[in-house]
Amino acid sequence: MTGGVGDGRRGGGAGRWRTAGRTAVRVLTVWAVSTLTLLLLAGLLPDFQLQSADGDSLTRTALTAAWAAGAFGLLTALVWPLAVRALLLVPALVLGLLAFFLNGSLLLVALWLIPDGRGAADPETAVVVAAVMSAVASATSTALAVRDDDAYRRRLYRLTGRTRPRDPRSAPAPGTVFLQLDGVGHRALRDAVADGLMPTVAGWLDAGHRLTPWRTDWSSQTGASQLGILHGSNEDVPAFRWYEKDTGRVMVSNRPASAVELQRRAVRRTGDDGLLSLDGASRGNLFSGGADEVALVLTVAARRGRRNRSRAGYFAYFSDPANAVRTAGSLVGEVVREVVQSTRSRLRRETPRIPRGGTYPFVRAFATVVERDVVVAAVMGDMLAGRTAVYADLVAYDEVAHHSGPRGRDTDQVLRRLDRAVGLIARVAEHAPRPYRIVLLSDHGQSPGETFEGAYGLTLKDLVRAGCGLPVSRRAGRTRSGAEARAAARDALRSALHRPVETGGEEERELPARPSEPVVLASGNLGLVSFPDVPHRLTKEEIDRRHPALLRTLAQHPGIGFLLVASAEHGSVVLAGDGVEVPVAQLADDGPLAVFGRGAADAVRRTDGFPHVADIMVNSMYDPATGTVHAFEEQIGSHGGLGGEQARPFLLSPPELSPPVAEGEELVGAERVHRVLRRWLREGDGPQVPLERPAGSQEISPPQTEAESLLPVEGPVVPDKNH
């Protein structure tokens, strides 16, 4: 396996002795608890005995219980893995019944082994006692090993029968595992390695892995990036959420019905099912990538019925009581950790800060514990099954960074646990039937900063409504920024109303049309304003006629970096403060977008060509000295637009794979990343997917593929996945 754990490994005899000591303590504790359980059951169940007919002393009865518990535990450890492998093809219900009978039989054998025949139970009682014993022993053992990854890994090996590393001389072609660390930017990863938070990644870098930054599109968020990475096209995805005038609906990337439609469009546009279309597995993603094996994939969640496998990973994982206890213990710990951290932040009056009460501690615990454990277990199962390509998303960092900020004690702890998960996957890969190349990547980064509302006292929606002359919330109206917005709107409106318009030699005042209610949506620090009563994309001239104060109010606001609007005269233009107006065709990196870095002009130009670009695209300000932006959502770590680390994710690849790009060349856009990953799959004799788009695939819809057959848009829609 390439990509070993490096510094993350325990080394030397001292580590082995510590591991042996922990194992011994765990075995003795489980044995003691099982003995007490047997004594309790013997007192409660009349048909279950641990004494001779004449009765025994308490000490002798306890020794008998200890003998029975030890014999039962030993038989279970020896027989159960063999039975599981022998019964893999038995239907689940039948297997469940056989498990009860098998456990009961093992208990009867254990009682038979007690000296002097002091143990006895009816067959029916033996089944009950065995079930209780198994549950108690499993719960106790797992509770003791909640944070012991080695114990979890060894247990997985026993259940799969792979107790020895793979023989490299007989290994088939290598497989590839792509692990997406959601929201971890290039700089965040480097800093975490330098601070000693991620020893596994540090070991890989020392071993020669390549760390390559790449640049996202204007829409720097999971929906656009992962669609491009997995399906080769993120065309017409202007943001995380946007309004489509032709369909009259709001598209939200992490809403099942929207994700289904986005994947369908990408498949039709490229003529290919996706990166994982041959012998692939998709775990915890928004999109399937064309994989046959899916778990916790949002595009499958929109379908109800027998073929809905989106939650199969949960059922498979929690059907094992040991997994349930392991994850439940960590879940409770994470809820407590979040409550303590948020309370400490509030008491210290740390800024910026957003509310973290209500159900958020449980949302965080679900993302950082439950989803992580289920996805990691699924990936390890995929490797032990020998699948060719696996793509999995670990969302923990992104969730915490939104509420706690991209850097700090909260996110440091998450990065440590992510590194442990990566190291565990790497160690399991050594026992897989084929070698695996593990590639780490991210879909975007995170930029810090106070929210737009926190900095200026009003939301983007309030600002837009003020510019349109519409009522705003009372809170916004009372703030200084709200008053300034209204004053700016009045001044702009007064100026517009006194602008002469030549018509037949007479001077008259051109009044704006009756305003419609705008749709204002936020995607991190990217805002979108659409007017649903007009079927086409409004031009700057049309917007000025309808709402003379709007564009000036937005462009002059200190919290806004620039606007993108169409123009009847110049095609499309970028508007910024001080009256700056530059046609998109003439944009360059040294123009009004210079503060946003190289490539910003090209990113804006590409989005301007999307069919569903909003009437007004709004990007918040960006301070290059501090790296801060202002999210239009309630997030102090955000992504979605241009500005700072949010647009600089990373790609970490083992040295045996070819370089992602030539030396001195920059990796730009999620679609380009898709082509790199496809090349790497071909280098390992993995899935073969088309290199070029088939001629005419843009205009002609190909026959419905297997991936498309899983993507209906009819029927009820389940609630949004946590973002």
Side-chain angles (χ1 to χ4, degrees):
M1 196 279 303
T2 60
V5 274
D7 293 345
R9 293 181 183 273
R10 297 183 179 89
R16 287 193 293 271
W17 279 110
R18 285 195 298 270
T19 300
R22 285 196 298 267
T23 301
V25 170
R26 188 160 53 245
V27 169
L28 292 175
T29 303
V30 172
W31 191 359
V33 172
S34 299
T35 299
L36 293 175
T37 302
L38 274 182
L39 289 171
L40 179 62
L41 291 173
L44 294 176
L45 301 175
D47 295 327
F48 179 44
Q49 298 177 4
L50 292 174
Q51 295 179 332
S52 65
D54 299 331
D56 288 320
S57 65
L58 180 60
T59 302
R60 184 54 186 264
T61 304
L63 290 174
T64 301
W67 182 283
F72 179 70
L74 184 61
L75 288 171
T76 301
L78 294 175
V79 176
W80 188 245
L82 298 175
V84 168
R85 290 199 296 274
L87 299 174
L88 281 178
L89 299 180
V90 175
L93 178 59
V94 178
L95 179 59
L97 295 174
L98 288 176
F100 276 105
F101 289 117
L102 178 60
N103 266 348
S105 301
L106 292 178
L107 180 67
L108 290 175
V109 174
L111 294 176
W112 176 76
L113 292 174
I114 296 176
D116 303 326
R118 280 182 164 79
D122 292 341
E124 298 84 354
T125 305
V127 171
V128 174
V129 173
V132 174
M133 287 282 293
S134 296
V136 170
S138 177
T140 304
S141 178
T142 309
L144 293 171
V146 162
R147 298 184 58 82
D148 192 339
D149 289 338
D150 286 338
Y152 177 56
R153 176 169 52 93
R154 288 192 298 270
R155 182 173 173 278
L156 181 66
Y157 292 162
R158 288 197 301 269
L159 290 176
T160 56
R162 302 201 61 86
T163 57
R164 296 182 180 180
R166 177 189 59 256
D167 183 356
R169 295 171 298 180
S170 60
T176 309
V177 173
F178 303 106
L179 295 178
Q180 177 179 302
L181 305 186
D182 205 302
V184 180
H186 176 256
R187 180 180 174 184
L189 185 80
R190 286 191 312 167
D191 290 347
V193 169
D195 294 341
L197 302 176
M198 306 187 76
T200 299
V201 176
W204 289 358
L205 290 172
D206 291 342
H209 281 51
R210 298 184 185 90
L211 179 59
T212 307
W214 65 279
R215 180 154 32 95
T216 68
D217 306 285
W218 186 1
S219 180
S220 55
Q221 47 88 19
T222 304
S225 292
Q226 198 177 85
L227 186 66
I229 292 170
L230 287 177
H231 289 279
S233 172
N234 60 3
E235 183 79 12
D236 201 20
V237 182
F240 178 76
R241 49 177 70 87
W242 67 96
Y243 177 75
E244 296 191 344
K245 292 187 175 185
D246 53 347
T247 62
R249 62 179 174 178
V250 174
M251 299 287 285
V252 183
S253 298
N254 69 353
R255 186 174 295 167
S258 298
V260 163
E261 181 59 25
L262 293 179
Q263 181 169 323
R264 189 195 304 275
R265 292 175 185 177
V267 168
R268 288 180 173 173
R269 188 175 293 115
T270 63
D272 173 61
D273 279 354
L275 183 73
L276 310 172
S277 56
L278 294 178
D279 192 28
S282 180
R283 309 299 187 186
N285 301 311
L286 295 179
F287 310 102
S288 73
D292 290 329
E293 293 293 331
V294 294
L296 316 188
V297 173
L298 196 65
T299 51
V300 186
R303 182 180 179 88
R304 303 251 184 205
R306 291 186 307 143
R307 299 188 71 179
N308 180 2
R309 295 169 290 174
S310 68
R311 297 176 183 83
Y314 290 117
F315 295 131
Y317 182 80
F318 288 107
S319 62
D320 186 338
N323 289 343
V325 175
R326 172 187 171 92
T327 299
S330 297
L331 180 75
V332 172
E334 188 69 13
V335 171
V336 173
R337 181 179 295 110
E338 163 56 25
V339 172
V340 171
Q341 290 174 346
S342 61
T343 302
R344 181 178 58 223
S345 175
R346 189 168 59 253
L347 293 176
R348 293 180 177 178
R349 300 181 182 275
E350 296 176 353
T351 57
R353 187 179 70 251
I354 60 174
R356 289 158 58 178
T359 61
Y360 172 68
F362 298 95
V363 172
R364 166 176 164 168
F366 182 84
T368 59
V369 174
V370 178
E371 284 201 69
R372 179 201 65 200
D373 287 355
V374 173
V375 169
V376 168
V379 171
M380 292 189 297
D382 290 329
M383 291 189 300
L384 293 173
R387 293 196 175 92
T388 303
V390 182
Y391 194 104
D393 188 10
L394 298 172
V395 302
Y397 175 86
D398 191 60
E399 177 63 43
V400 175
H402 280 317
H403 294 79
S404 302
R407 294 182 179 87
R409 186 178 304 178
D410 296 14
T411 48
D412 286 352
Q413 292 176 344
V414 174
L415 289 170
R416 283 193 185 95
R417 293 195 294 271
L418 283 176
D419 187 80
R420 286 178 54 208
V422 172
L424 178 60
I425 289 172
R427 291 192 292 274
V428 169
E430 297 173 356
H431 294 254
R434 66 193 307 166
Y436 275 96
R437 304 163 305 182
I438 299 178
V439 175
L440 294 187
L441 73 160
S442 58
D443 49 346
H444 55 79
Q446 289 264 8
S447 293
E450 190 173 8
T451 66
F452 185 85
E453 182 179 12
Y456 302 105
L458 79 171
T459 65
L460 177 63
K461 182 177 181 179
D462 291 328
L463 186 64
V464 170
R465 291 181 66 85
C468 292
L470 298 172
V472 299
S473 65
R474 292 183 179 180
R475 176 185 174 189
R478 290 194 297 266
T479 64
R480 177 181 176 183
S481 186
E484 291 175 347
R486 283 188 171 279
R490 284 195 300 269
D491 293 343
L493 179 60
R494 191 176 296 113
S495 173
L497 292 177
H498 287 81
R499 184 175 58 209
V501 178
E502 295 183 1
T503 306
E506 295 184 0
E507 191 175 279
E508 65 181 31
R509 306 185 194 283
E510 184 183 21
L511 297 175
R514 182 177 180 178
S516 65
E517 291 286 328
V519 175
V520 183
L521 300 172
S523 296
N525 74 318
L526 179 63
L528 296 88
V529 183
S530 300
F531 295 92
D533 63 321
V534 179
H536 61 271
R537 181 184 179 188
L538 282 175
T539 64
K540 176 180 180 293
E541 294 79 4
E542 290 174 311
I543 295 173
D544 283 340
R545 285 194 294 268
R546 292 165 62 96
H547 307 292
L550 177 58
L551 293 178
R552 190 177 303 181
T553 298
L554 293 175
Q556 297 292 343
H557 194 280
I560 291 178
F562 68 92
L563 313 177
L564 170 67
V565 294
S567 170
E569 183 178 357
H570 301 293
S572 290
V573 294
V574 164
L575 307 178
D578 300 325
V580 171
E581 179 177 331
V582 179
V584 168
Q586 300 175 18
L587 276 179
D589 287 336
D590 60 353
L593 303 184
V595 69
F596 294 96
R598 186 171 59 179
D602 289 337
V604 171
R605 216 176 345 257
R606 178 175 185 258
T607 302
D608 180 61
F610 290 172
H612 291 112
V613 65
D615 292 330
I616 308 174
M617 300 286 290
V618 185
N619 202 100
S620 87
M621 58 74 65
Y622 167 60
D623 183 353
T626 61
T628 59
V629 301
H630 292 313
F632 299 122
E633 301 181 82
E634 199 172 59
Q635 299 172 349
I636 59 174
S638 67
H639 56 91
L642 292 173
E645 284 301 305
Q646 62 181 316
R648 298 286 286 179
F650 73 89
L651 190 61
L652 180 66
S653 56
E656 60 267 26
L657 293 174
S658 60
V661 291
E663 187 174 354
E665 187 179 351
E666 191 175 13
L667 186 58
V668 179
E671 295 180 358
R672 180 80 180 277
V673 175
H674 172 84
R675 293 195 290 272
V676 171
L677 301 191
R678 289 199 304 182
R679 185 207 326 148
W680 286 346
L681 289 177
R682 289 193 302 273
E683 289 174 4
D685 294 326
Q688 302 296 307
V689 290
L691 273 174
E692 304 295 338
R693 176 181 299 171
S697 63
Q698 180 71 27
E699 295 80 16
I700 302 175
S701 298
Q704 189 182 49
T705 63
E706 171 64 18
E708 285 189 290
S709 70
L710 296 175
L711 305 176
V713 294
E714 302 83 14
V717 176
V718 302
D720 286 1
K721 178 183 177 184
N722 292 319
H723 169 54

